[in-house]
Amino acid sequence: MPALRTLLLALLLLVPVAAGAVQPEEVMKDPALEARARTISAELRCLVCQNQSIDDSDAPLARDLRLIVRERLRQGDGDDAVLSYIVQRYGEFVLLRPVLAWHTALLWLTPVLVVGLGGLALWAAARRRRPAPPRGLTAAEEAAVAELVRRAEPR
């Protein structure tokens, strides 16, 4: 039983826990506005960390962005208006999920192209590895087989 408890504790430690960098003083009093702020914050990239949303980052710039989002929501902006405001100020890089447009087509199509080219390479490699068709017996081999069959026949 102690081994089982130790194993369960070790597995529990492996479970990622969302740290959430939002400070208590940032939380809005209105739960609906706070939920909208969290949804928007989850879509914005921390420009310092670059692999986290501003909701998860402790960077001062991420905190500033969270405060801007909340301020814009308090002023009555819609979710799309808040996102547009942030994108206008910081560029499209601030979006964790880039927009699908001509200037981002390569970004969206690269995974498809890589998988497609990989599949094509596997298909070509499989075609090259096909075994050669069996060839017929030579005259000497046919004579040897005929001799073996003749010897094996009962007399």
Side-chain angles (χ1 to χ4, degrees):
M1 281 309 202
L4 181 61
R5 283 188 198 153
T6 305
L7 177 65
L8 288 175
L9 180 62
L11 288 175
L12 203 71
L13 291 174
L14 291 176
V15 175
V17 178
V22 177
Q23 302 300 314
E25 65 271 7
E26 295 176 35
V27 177
M28 301 173 83
K29 303 240 186 283
D30 183 357
L33 281 179
E34 179 61 24
R36 287 177 54 204
R38 291 291 179 109
T39 301
I40 294 169
S41 294
E43 295 181 30
L44 297 173
R45 176 189 321 273
C46 172
L47 298 171
V48 176
C49 309
Q50 296 188 4
N51 63 345
Q52 289 181 318
S53 71
I54 62 170
D55 213 24
D56 298 328
S57 175
D58 284 329
L61 180 59
R63 182 180 190 281
D64 292 344
L65 286 172
R66 288 192 303 267
L67 292 175
I68 290 171
V69 167
R70 283 166 172 74
E71 183 58 35
R72 300 298 295 193
L73 288 174
R74 270 191 211 98
Q75 292 175 2
D77 286 358
D79 295 2
D80 290 337
V82 174
L83 282 172
S84 295
Y85 179 80
I86 299 290
V87 168
Q88 284 174 355
R89 287 187 74 182
Y90 295 96
E92 286 183 3
F93 183 73
V94 78
L95 297 173
L96 276 173
R97 285 181 291 134
V99 295
L100 180 57
W102 285 109
H103 63 280
T104 60
L106 185 62
L107 178 68
W108 284 98
L109 294 177
T110 298
V112 174
L113 291 173
V114 168
V115 169
L117 290 174
L120 188 62
L122 288 174
W123 177 75
R127 282 197 71 188
R128 269 187 258 128
R129 289 186 172 208
R130 283 196 181 142
R135 58 180 178 84
L137 296 175
T138 64
E141 292 169 336
E142 284 184 14
V145 168
E147 178 62 27
L148 288 172
V149 168
R150 187 185 58 76
R151 283 188 200 165
E153 291 178 348
R155 297 185 184 196

